Amino acid sequence: MPARRSFFREALALGLGGIAAAVPFVSGVVFYLNPLKKKQGEVDENFIRVTTLDSLPADNVPRQFPVIGAKTDAWTRTEASPLGAVFLRRTEEGEIKAFSVICPHAGCFVEYVGREKNRFLCPCHNSEFALNGDIASPGSPSPRGLDPVNVEVRNESEVWVHFQKFQSGTHDRIPV
Amino acid sequence: MKAFLDWLDHRTGYRKLTDETLNENVPGGSRWRYIWGSALVFTFFLQIVTGLFLWMAYSPNSHSAWESVYYIQFEMTGGWLLRGIHHYAAQVMNVLLILHLAQVIIDGAYKAPREMNYWFGLLLLQLTLAISLTGYLLPWDQKGFWATQVATNLASIVPIVGPSLQQLIIGGTEYGHHTLTRFFALHAGILPGLMILLTVGHIYLFRRHGLTPAQPKRRPDQKFWPEQVLKDSIGCFGVMMAVLFLVCGPYVMGWSNHLGAGLTAPADPSSSYGAARPEWYFLFLFQFLKYFPGWTEIIGAIIIPSIGLLILFLMPFIAKWPRGHLFNVGYFVICFAGAAGLTYQAMQEDKNSPEFAKSVAEAEASMERVLELSEQKFPEAGALALLRKDSKTQGPKLFAQHCASCHRYNGHNGMGVLPTDEPTASDLKGFATREWMMGWVDYDRITSIHYFGGTEFAEGKMARFVKRKISRFDEEELELLKKAIFALSAEAQLPTQAEIEKEEADLIQEGFVALQEEVGCTDCHRFHNEDEEADAPILTGYGSKEWLTRFIQNPEHSDFYGEDNDRMPKYGEGGKISEADLELLVDWLRQDWYRSVKHQDQNKDLEEGPTPVVPISDESTEKPSATDGEPSNQEADDKVDAEPAEASEAASESEV
């Protein structure tokens, strides 16, 4: 068989076989990349009622509250689903401050460590944050302070927060 | 580069392996007839690749399996393609398996020294069928759910261990989460793992003994690469194209309304599915069982298939007898022809069965509805929960169960079945709509079977009023009457009329006045007023959700029939219907249900309700109803005993 003809047949064998084999892979990869197309599990309402002023004394102590709201997760729609949590602190002047409980370093759940220390501590890599959310110790691996959350008091006594998540590990706050 | 490849070869010996693989001798040169093995391996490869990707989105749980498959099919990029390839490659694989087996038997390739390889092949065949069977259930749709029930129920007839075996297979006594987790583990883990092992063994043995050359050898021997590889590649390419055609072709040609594999409504243990059939390659067994009634089932389901398989396994020995090979070939041909005949017979039976067509149509309508409802996403309990709270889906069943012994809906029982006996109360299709209300003030219509014709009120006050007064209206009065009817219909606040009622608010206001004055309805009925003498059913809020609910609960209330009620039972008493079901029924009668944003055009058709498809006699009225899960023999009994008719809004109107 002439070399050229043989080459053509070899190329054809590899080409056709390759195309046939590529079809399921290509469909699969396109399918796999689906999450990049749309946001999954996005929160429907940005402002969510979290608690009432009665549960939040004006003593400047942060308290942790769950955020419960409607959620669409792929095919499921849940009207009241735990979306996350926030720290709320009502100052003696009555102003409410709110922070996300998620550590901006690697996404662990930050804890408030009591009056004697009066700080937020991340149990994973020991990032420390002051009451105002700033990084409180030079050894903290977190690239930024705690993420503040907008708060509104509605209907005189209801505390609503603008629940938002930010990318962890970055200096800037990038909403996700 | 060469140094690296030398190093790699030294460490792995890949050159020798490649050399052995590609330079295998093909006696008599490459031939098309040798491609089937490669094509089969290719389909298996397709299944593994597409299956692994599908695995990333599938959720084996009875509350989310159907939903995740729905999501793959309709929401994820390329999901329909991936699932379609997986589904149809499985079908092609079964066809190729039979072709491969036929070739092995006819060519005598099962004979010594290749018996072991032949047995490996037979085991692979069974594994493939087992994978097909387990995969059929995974979407957890009506079709897979009910068809697989048949297969797992057959396990229970195995002597002694049957019931335990069945429980082990389905992970309990009933289908549930563990049925899916078990089937999924088998389908995606254990069975494919075994198949890979056996395939490796099969190919190893094939290489050990070489292929069985087709005689006579027409050409000199060749090497596997490139000539046979080229033919194999073309074969695999052809298989891929065939699968893609099956995935897209029917849709492109307009034979099907969806791309890729089908999906029926979510599995519902309370609603049977008359069109549940196994995949076509199991149809012959399905049909075969019809010939083994009662206790003989075990013969058709287990004994004969086992003997059939045993003979296949024994073929290498049988071949040693005089004319043994001929027997084997004959046996295979007879089995094949028998299976083909049974398959054809099963398909013909279904094709000619109106019951089957009805089940398919219902299942399709149900699926269409789920797709509409899916726009709201599914609750945590799954799509079935959404469907069960959907008045459009449940209303017809509830109507057939509770109302259709006296009433009709567009002439049928709500489910499309036309009872042969005459209705004895009104036809509630279009209840409280303008068009329906107009019937009450038209003498021919009010006395027809669709309104009062079947009741004693055909000669009641209302009918007399229509005859004596309304029939004599002049054109101007008729115009006022029309407006009054529009005003009365507006009392119902039907979602289907919301738009037009908003536009015609002034006209309705005119009618509101006319109804009380010129037309004279308030001589007997109350309408936004208090009048103790007006003892006919109250027209305030007529046909509204609250009005209809209260009416069905107690038609004898002074707001409705009062003492004049004759046959309509009090559904609010004695748990005749639950509050939830009553709400669904009322919503359905008022055509108050979720309307799709995307499917508006389809809604138009669907609001017509099911088209009556099967005029059915009394006996068979029970049958399809029972198949639909809801209406039962009770309904027929009601007819026989002439139990109180119900929901006769018609009757209520009559005693004016």
Side-chain angles (χ1 to χ4, degrees):
Chain A
M1 189 182 294
R4 184 188 284 176
R5 186 164 167 239
S6 168
F7 172 76
F8 171 74
R9 297 175 79 80
E10 286 173 10
L12 193 65
L14 287 176
L16 287 177
I19 291 170
V23 171
F25 272 111
V26 172
S27 342
V29 169
V30 169
F31 179 79
Y32 184 73
L33 295 178
N34 183 72
L36 297 180
K37 198 180 79 175
K38 47 186 164 184
K39 279 189 188 174
Q40 301 256 331
E42 57 192 75
V43 181
D44 298 21
E45 299 159 36
N46 287 329
F47 264 93
I48 292 169
R49 183 187 179 280
V50 173
T51 183
T52 60
L53 287 179
D54 294 343
S55 311
L56 192 63
D59 57 2
N60 210 26
V61 175
R63 288 177 173 77
Q64 186 193 307
F65 291 93
V67 178
I68 311 286
K71 185 178 174 181
T72 302
D73 180 8
W75 56 83
T76 306
R77 162 102 184 159
T78 323
E79 291 310 318
S81 182
L83 305 175
V86 286
F87 282 115
L88 296 179
R89 174 170 61 92
R90 196 164 156 208
T91 64
E92 278 141 15
E93 292 77 37
E95 196 183 353
I96 301 175
K97 300 280 183 191
F99 290 102
S100 165
V101 297
I102 300 300
C103 180
H105 173 226
C108 291
F109 200 110
V110 172
E111 291 164 2
Y112 172 64
V113 283
R115 279 170 189 271
E116 63 282 2
K117 272 198 160 182
N118 212 16
R119 285 187 175 183
F120 297 103
L121 173 71
C122 176
C124 293
H125 307 96
N126 299 334
S127 287
E128 286 187 34
F129 306 93
L131 274 195
N132 66 0
D134 290 348
I135 292 172
S137 97
S140 293
S142 178
R144 60 175 192 261
L146 283 180
D147 296 318
V149 172
N150 288 335
V151 199
E152 277 180 13
V153 175
R154 296 183 181 179
N155 305 323
E156 296 188 349
S157 65
E158 294 174 359
V159 182
W160 291 63
V161 298
H162 179 233
F163 190 70
Q164 213 176 358
K165 285 183 177 160
F166 299 93
Q167 204 166 312
S168 53
T170 57
H171 181 267
D172 298 321
R173 283 193 180 95
I174 306 164
V176 289
Chain B
M1 187 66 186
K2 185 172 181 306
F4 171 72
L5 291 178
D6 286 345
W7 174 85
L8 194 67
D9 184 45
H10 182 256
R11 299 298 191 275
T12 62
Y14 82 92
R15 279 180 184 140
K16 185 164 175 275
L17 186 71
T18 320
D19 185 59
E20 280 177 8
T21 309
L22 295 178
N23 293 331
E24 192 214 2
N25 185 47
V26 180
S30 67
R31 296 184 68 160
W32 287 107
R33 59 185 301 143
Y34 300 153
I35 69 171
W36 300 118
S38 304
L40 259 175
V41 173
F42 177 68
T43 51
F44 185 45
F45 158 84
L46 274 182
Q47 295 306 74
I48 290 176
V49 175
T50 51
L52 283 174
F53 280 109
L54 287 169
W55 190 340
M56 295 179 193
Y58 175 70
S59 171
N61 166 322
S62 66
H63 286 170
S64 60
W66 185 91
E67 291 73 7
S68 64
V69 175
Y70 154 83
Y71 201 71
I72 290 169
Q73 182 74 25
F74 298 104
E75 303 276 343
M76 295 183 74
T77 326
W80 62 269
L81 177 62
L82 200 64
R83 187 168 166 258
I85 295 176
H86 196 71
H87 177 82
Y88 286 109
Q91 325 244 323
V92 171
M93 193 170 174
N94 282 291
V95 174
L96 291 174
L97 263 174
I98 296 301
L99 284 175
H100 190 54
L101 179 66
Q103 193 175 24
V104 164
I105 291 175
I106 292 166
D107 286 355
Y110 61 90
K111 289 189 261 188
R114 297 183 180 84
E115 308 97 311
M116 189 62 82
N117 207 12
Y118 170 70
W119 292 327
F120 267 54
L122 285 182
L123 290 176
L124 281 165
L125 170 78
Q126 290 181 73
L127 281 175
T128 308
L129 292 177
I131 290 190
S132 303
L133 187 82
T134 47
Y136 203 53
L137 177 72
L138 297 183
W140 205 244
D141 61 349
Q142 281 285 71
K143 190 166 137 182
F145 182 84
W146 290 107
T148 311
Q149 295 271 359
V150 177
T152 52
N153 277 329
L154 286 180
S156 69
I157 61 173
V158 175
I160 305 164
V161 294
S164 308
L165 184 68
Q166 186 191 18
Q167 257 172 289
L168 286 175
I169 292 171
I170 66 177
T173 50
E174 284 169 36
Y175 273 36
H177 295 323
H178 275 166
T179 318
L180 277 171
T181 50
R182 281 171 177 244
F183 269 59
F184 188 50
L186 282 171
H187 180 80
I190 296 164
L191 297 174
L194 284 173
M195 273 192 84
I196 291 171
L197 283 178
L198 284 178
T199 306
V200 169
H202 198 59
I203 294 173
Y204 161 76
L205 289 168
F206 165 70
R207 291 280 168 154
R208 180 177 164 82
H209 298 296
L211 57 75
T212 314
Q215 300 296 347
K217 292 185 193 174
R218 284 180 285 190
R219 285 181 296 155
D221 292 4
Q222 273 178 326
K223 287 181 175 166
F224 185 58
W225 170 262
E227 287 306 312
Q228 188 59 47
V229 174
L230 175 62
K231 289 191 170 68
D232 286 356
S233 287
I234 293 172
C236 295
F237 185 79
V239 165
M240 191 67 248
M241 292 303 117
V243 170
L244 287 179
F245 174 77
L246 290 169
V247 174
C248 308
Y251 180 77
V252 174
M253 302 286 199
W255 301 331
S256 162
N257 58 2
H258 60 80
L259 279 160
L263 181 67
T264 54
D268 182 353
S270 74
S271 170
S272 81
Y273 173 54
R277 296 288 178 269
E279 274 293 30
W280 61 267
Y281 39 82
F282 286 120
L283 262 184
F284 72 99
L285 279 175
F286 173 86
Q287 185 70 11
F288 191 54
L289 283 184
K290 292 183 186 170
Y291 296 101
F292 296 90
W295 69 268
T296 59
E297 192 179 25
I298 191 169
I299 300 175
I302 294 172
I303 298 176
I304 294 179
S306 301
I307 293 173
L309 263 178
L310 185 67
I311 294 175
L312 276 180
F313 271 93
L314 293 177
M315 276 189 180
F317 303 115
I318 298 173
K320 291 179 180 165
W321 303 345
R323 296 208 182 88
H325 176 64
L326 194 65
F327 169 85
N328 286 339
V329 173
Y331 173 77
F332 179 79
V333 170
I334 288 169
C335 286
F336 181 82
L342 285 167
T343 307
Y344 177 78
Q345 197 184 18
M347 287 177 166
Q348 281 303 110
E349 275 184 24
D350 287 344
K351 197 177 156 192
N352 298 323
S353 155
E355 298 290 329
F356 184 82
K358 183 168 173 282
S359 290
V360 170
E362 276 171 15
E364 280 173 3
S366 179
M367 184 60 195
E368 276 299 327
R369 186 61 188 155
V370 187
L371 289 182
E372 284 179 64
L373 293 173
S374 69
E375 289 167 17
Q376 319 164 77
K377 300 286 178 187
F378 304 114
E380 279 172 302
L384 186 62
L386 200 60
L387 213 52
R388 294 201 73 81
K389 285 184 191 160
D390 176 39
S391 62
K392 190 171 176 188
T393 306
Q394 302 305 327
K397 297 178 187 174
L398 292 166
F399 184 85
Q401 187 181 357
H402 295 288
C403 315
S405 54
C406 300
H407 290 276
R408 296 288 177 269
Y409 189 89
N410 203 19
H412 57 83
N413 73 341
M415 300 290 296
V417 175
L418 296 171
T420 46
D421 47 349
E422 288 281 291
T424 53
S426 54
D427 191 309
L428 297 176
K429 167 80 193 336
F431 170 76
T433 58
R434 292 174 169 192
E435 206 287 317
W436 189 79
M437 298 299 295
M438 288 302 284
W440 293 112
V441 289
D442 177 325
Y443 185 72
D444 289 340
R445 287 179 72 188
I446 196 175
T447 51
S448 76
I449 202 77
H450 303 303
Y451 289 81
F452 278 168
T455 74
E456 62 185 63
F457 305 120
E459 293 168 4
K461 286 186 200 170
M462 179 75 187
R464 289 202 302 276
F465 170 75
V466 172
K467 187 177 184 182
R468 289 178 191 161
K469 183 165 177 182
I470 293 184
S471 300
R472 294 175 189 161
F473 273 6
D474 60 24
E475 257 181 46
E476 197 180 326
E477 285 169 322
L478 282 175
E479 192 56 32
L480 273 178
L481 174 72
K482 197 169 134 191
K483 289 176 186 172
I485 290 296
F486 285 5
L488 188 54
S489 179
E491 291 288 305
Q493 297 182 315
L494 299 177
T496 45
Q497 293 182 168
E499 211 169 300
I500 194 161
E501 281 167 3
K502 205 173 160 190
E503 284 169 20
E504 297 179 354
D506 294 345
L507 191 147
I508 288 169
Q509 186 53 37
E510 284 178 48
F512 190 88
V513 177
L515 192 150
Q516 298 171 73
E517 295 173 4
E518 293 89 342
V519 179
C521 299
T522 46
D523 294 350
C524 300
H525 295 273
R526 275 168 290 159
F527 185 66
H528 294 280
N529 65 346
E530 285 304 324
D531 180 355
E532 283 182 8
E533 288 180 13
D535 61 351
I538 187 165
L539 297 184
T540 313
Y542 181 87
S544 63
K545 185 166 180 168
E546 191 200 346
W547 189 99
L548 186 56
T549 306
R550 285 184 59 227
F551 178 81
I552 298 175
Q553 280 172 333
N554 182 12
E556 290 178 16
H557 188 278
S558 58
D559 277 350
F560 306 110
Y561 287 125
E563 291 172 358
D564 295 331
N565 180 37
D566 66 347
R567 291 175 300 152
M568 172 81 183
K570 292 188 214 174
Y571 278 84
E573 279 184 3
K576 288 192 181 70
I577 186 169
S578 70
E579 279 185 29
D581 281 354
L582 178 58
E583 186 178 356
L584 289 168
L585 182 62
V586 165
D587 284 346
W588 177 68
L589 286 170
R590 301 179 69 254
Q591 302 191 25
D592 185 1
W593 52 65
Y594 175 80
R595 284 177 165 75
S596 161
V597 186
K598 292 182 201 161
H599 296 70
Q600 275 180 347
D601 292 340
Q602 290 173 8
N603 263 320
K604 276 187 183 168
D605 302 333
L606 288 169
E607 273 163 25
E608 294 304 313
T611 311
V613 283
V614 199
I616 281 173
S617 64
D618 268 357
E619 303 87 66
S620 49
T621 309
E622 289 175 35
K623 199 175 157 200
S625 305
T627 320
D628 294 319
E630 310 291 339
S632 61
N633 293 341
Q634 185 63 42
E635 184 192 343
D637 294 345
D638 285 353
K639 282 180 194 161
V640 174
D641 301 342
E643 275 206 359
E646 50 140 315
S648 184
E649 288 82 358
S652 77
E653 284 254 309
S654 83
E655 288 308 294
V656 183

